[in-house]
Each structure stands twice: as structure tokens, then as C-alpha cells.
DNA sequence: AGATAGATAGAACGATCGGTATATGCCGCC
DNA sequence: GGCGGCATATACCGATCGTTCTATCTATCT
């Protein structure tokens, strides 16, 4: 029998799931109950709900998932990036899809001092670097501006998929992503 | 001296402002205070907070603003749509910009039964029709799919502008919108 | 004038929020 | 063997949540 993860891991797992399905406004009690963890442990490990929420975003490994999808698509930068949109189409088609966790956090948490905002920023910066690197390898004339376009497409897909169920925004975006790669100096 | 608007209007105005700047999770008390309206009036006119929030979205007139921006841009569909992205650049550059109110409502309100969701859907549907009409007039081979692309771009701009301050996602999206209009049958 | 409808003020409701305090149990380590 | 650190369980805190209620006031219409 596998040993049960410690309270810290259980808290992160429970919070990751509940803040996604119920939103960040989910109560601390619900997280504690699902994690089967004492109230005090939360404050011991994360200082409070804000710290827990921020750590959920920080440790989410979203960038790794993007990297993995691209690596499985081979070497060609164009194919690697287009694979991202294929994956987005699969993700946004799942009934459990509830939008991008980072965008949701950014829009829901009004307090500009909330520690989650820094994590969101860090994630988006990393994603931008990821995309810019692919465009650079592809010989894009302006990798930075091109990455901006790809990020807009990704954010657009994730946002649009929530508000218009049934549409397949990732497919629409994929065609535009091809246009980004068609840019010539 | 102009006569003061009635309680219903004052409630809508206050709610529109506060739910945007503070998020929909703003308290009823704050709305009542800013509207300078009796507690009971809220429940008399809107049945509750949920009804008020939904009515704020419904009466927001977002579609009219899009129409107005396009009308000011003249007759050519391409110019009219590109003007939308110029306007988005202006909007997202304002320091008071806090994201798209509809997307925020959709992501924040987890309860699928919340009346606001229907308003969000209606808005996005209307926007889709608006864009598809322009593409049809332009002779686009697939106005519906093209409108999907434009909506992804718009949602992407509004979402991305919140998470990466300083970037000008509307300019990046504008170039891609041009690509949408370059589509040939 | 009297009646009616709408608005006001304010108390109070039960529920839930995030966070703290107290007290006990379990474990490895010196 | 006792000690320290972590986890547990639970009670409790003040604050705030959305909502309901009573009671008073005011404007309009007949």
C-alpha cells in the first residue's frame, strides 16, 4: 500500500481541484474537509488561504504541460506550436473544462496585493518566452511580437471556450496561429 | 437642477461600477451605500443580488458600443472591424481597465444556474452576429468561422491585457484580424 | 381628504467567512 | 525515557454575507 501524502500535498491537491471547480472563492472549510487535514496545518504551511492559492498556481506546472505537448510534436517549431492548439481543442472540449485557472484568478481576485497575481504574471511571462523561443528557431522576423499574438490566441481560446459552449475556438485560433508562422520579414 | 434618477437606476449604476472595480463579489451593503438606496428597494426591483448582477450585464449596452465604434469607422467592413481593435487598444490601455465584465462574470460565478450566465451567452451571441454580418458584407468565404476567429481575438485581447500589463495585445490582435479579412474562398 | 404604492431607515436573521486558540495524540531523535 | 515538533480535533472569534422584517414617510391619484 502506498503511503499517504503529507498534509501539505493533500492541501495543495484539494485546493487545486476545488479552486478550479468551485472558483477561488471556495471556503477554507471545504478545502480542509476534502484534504482531510487539520485547520491549523493550512496556516502552518501556507500562512493562510491567500498563500495556499498562490502556491497552487506556482506549483501547477502549467508550463511543463505546454513543453510536454510541444516535445511530443517533434522538432519543427511550427508543428510544435500548432500541436498546442490541438491540445487546447481537446482540453476545452472536456465537460469539466472551466476556463484558464490563471485568468480566472486574475479576474476574480480584485485586491492588487494578492500574492496570486505575481504567480499569474510569472506564468504568462514564461509562456511568452516559450513561444518566442519557438518563433526564433523558426526564423520569425519578430519573435517577441509573434509570441504576443500567440498568447492572445491562447488566452482567447481559453476565455472564449467558457462563454460559448459548443464552439471550437481552438480550431479557429489554430488557423490564425498558422498565419503567425507565415509572417515574413 | 436635474432630477435625481430613481432608485432602480441608481442601483444599476452603482452595481455596474462596483461589480467592475471590485468584482461581482462586492457586498450588497457597498452597492446600497453608493446608490444611496434603501435595502428593500433592491429586493423589490431585482429580487436579489443575483438579479441585479444579471440586469447589470443585460442593460450594459456593450453591443451598442461596438456598433457605435464601427459606425464611426465608415462603411468598409474591414475598416469597421479594425477600428474595433483600435478601440480595444485604447480601452485596455486605460489604468482603470480591469478586464471584460462578461468574461469575469462567467469565470467568477461558479454556479451554473446563476442568471448572469444567460446574459453573457446572449452578449457573445450578439457579438458573433455583429462580426459575422461584417464578414458577410466583405464577401468572406466563411463568415461564421471568421467571426469565431474575431471573437477569439477580442476575448484574447481583453483577457491578456489584464495578465500582462504593458503589453499591447490589441495591436498584436489587429494584425491577425487583418489576416481574417485576407481569407479567400 | 383619503387611499395606495413606493421609498426610506434600521434592526435582526441565520449562515458562512478567514483566522486564532486550546488541548490532545503521535512520532522520531537525542 | 523524556522531549520537541508536527498533526489532529474542536471550540471560538469578529466580521461579513445575502436576506427578511417592521415601521415610518412621501408622493401621486381619485
Amino acid at each position: 500500500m502506498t503511503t499517504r501524502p503529507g498534509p501539505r500535498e493533500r492541501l495543495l491537491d484539494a485546493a487545486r481541484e476545488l479552486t478550479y471547480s468551485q472558483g477561488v472563492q471556495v471556503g477554507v472549510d471545504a478545502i480542509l474537509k476534502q484534504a482531510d487535514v487539520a485547520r491549523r496545518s493550512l496556516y502552518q504551511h501556507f500562512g493562510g488561504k491567500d498563500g495556499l492559492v498562490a502556491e497552487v498556481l506556482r506549483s501547477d506546472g502549467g508550463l511543463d504541460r505546454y513543453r510536454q505537448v510541444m516535445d511530443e510534436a517533434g522538432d519543427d517549431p511550427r508543428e510544435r506550436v500548432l500541436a498546442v492548439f490541438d491540445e487546447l481543442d481537446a482540453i476545452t472540449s472536456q465537460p469539466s473544462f472551466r476556463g484558464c485557472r490563471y485568468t480566472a484568478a486574475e479576474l476574480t481576485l480584485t485586491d492588487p496585493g494578492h500574492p496570486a497575481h505575481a504567480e499569474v504574471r510569472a506564468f504568462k511571462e514564461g509562456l511568452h518566452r516559450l513561444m518566442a523561443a519557438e518563433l526564433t528557431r523558426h526564423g520569425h522576423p519578430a519573435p517577441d511580437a509573434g509570441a504576443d499574438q500567440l498568447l492572445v490566441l491562447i488566452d482567447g481560446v481559453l476565455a472564449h471556450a467558457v462563454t460559448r459552449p459548443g464552439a471550437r475556438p481552438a480550431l479557429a485560433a489554430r488557423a490564425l496561429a498558422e498565419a503567425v508562422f507565415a509572417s515574413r520579414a
Side-chain angles (χ1 to χ4, degrees), chain A residues 11 103 107 144 155:
Chain A
L11 273 173
T103 303
L107 288 179
D144 209 67
D155 276 346

Side-chain angles (χ1 to χ4, degrees), chain A residues 14-92:
Chain A
R16 200 181 320 277
E17 178 180 333
L18 289 178
T19 57
Y20 187 70
S21 60
Q22 318 244 84
V24 288
Q25 65 269 26
V26 67
V28 166
D29 291 11
I31 299 177
L32 293 175
K33 185 178 175 185
Q34 166 144 339
D36 191 30
V37 149
R39 196 172 199 78
R40 181 161 196 178
S41 302
L42 192 159
Y43 295 91
Q44 200 74 24
H45 283 290
F46 303 100
K49 186 191 177 184
D50 290 1
L52 174 59
V53 168
E55 183 64 17
V56 163
L57 294 180
R58 201 194 62 80
S59 66
D60 191 50
L63 284 187
D64 292 331
R65 279 194 298 269
Y66 277 99
R67 268 188 276 259
Q68 183 181 345
V69 168
M70 294 200 294
D71 284 346
E72 288 171 359
D75 257 350
D76 180 45
R78 185 173 176 276
E79 293 304 320
R80 287 163 62 86
V81 170
L82 291 183
V84 167
F85 288 90
D86 291 332
E87 174 72 10
L88 285 179
D89 182 52
I91 291 176
T92 55

Side-chain angles (χ1 to χ4, degrees), chain A residues 163-185:
Chain A
T163 58
R164 270 173 56 91
R168 301 274 293 270
L171 301 184
R174 202 193 123 111
L176 290 178
E178 292 179 6
V180 174
F181 276 90
S183 294
R184 295 273 164 257

Side-chain angles (χ1 to χ4, degrees), chain A residues 125-147:
Chain A
E125 291 276 341
L127 189 54
H128 186 274
R129 271 195 298 271
L130 222 58
M131 294 299 158
E134 298 297 323
L135 291 175
T136 299
R137 275 213 307 137
H138 178 263
H140 191 284
D144 209 67

